[in-house]
Amino acid sequence: MRRRSLLTAAAATTLAAAPLASGCSSSSPPSPFSGGGSRRGHLTYGVWDVYQLPAMNRAAREFERTRPGVTVDVQLTPNGTYWTKLRTACTGGAAPDVFWMNESPSWAAIPTA
């Protein structure tokens, strides 16, 4: 498999898992597909790696192409502030719908609203 295909497939898989990665709080926020979210069919995708941004944007466009009516807003936050901003956003109920993670065990202890 070519690297480009692998990155696109990995990003599309990540985006497809949006319902699993969303919801940092104990109360479930409205689904962007149910019409109860900020915009129907709109997903936000948080990433930290500026070098991967072009590939993530291409993956988001491909995701949109295969799912008419869905838009994906890829949001870059530099790694130096990504984790603090993400933790704060999760605590406040304003996290991206989908976001990059690593295996950090400290995320198991995020306070929930």
Side-chain angles (χ1 to χ4, degrees), residues 56-66 71-74:
M56 296 302 104
N57 280 322
R58 285 192 304 273
R61 300 303 76 85
E62 179 64 17
F63 187 84
E64 292 170 345
R65 188 187 67 75
T66 60
T71 59
V72 179
D73 177 24
V74 180

Side-chain angles (χ1 to χ4, degrees), residues 5-98:
S5 298
L6 180 63
L7 287 174
T8 300
T13 301
T14 302
L15 290 171
L20 300 175
S22 65
C24 292
S25 68
S26 59
S27 61
S28 297
S31 165
F33 301 105
S34 68
S38 60
R39 286 191 358 215
R40 181 168 170 73
H42 179 81
L43 294 171
T44 54
Y45 180 31
V47 299
W48 73 79
D49 188 347
V50 69
Y51 299 108
Q52 290 296 320
L53 188 59
M56 296 302 104
N57 280 322
R58 285 192 304 273
R61 300 303 76 85
E62 179 64 17
F63 187 84
E64 292 170 345
R65 188 187 67 75
T66 60
R67 290 158 183 85
V70 176
T71 59
V72 179
D73 177 24
V74 180
Q75 300 173 341
L76 175 69
T77 302
N79 192 7
T81 57
Y82 182 81
W83 300 106
T84 302
K85 181 178 176 180
L86 185 58
R87 184 177 299 277
T88 302
C90 283
T91 302
D97 298 305
V98 182

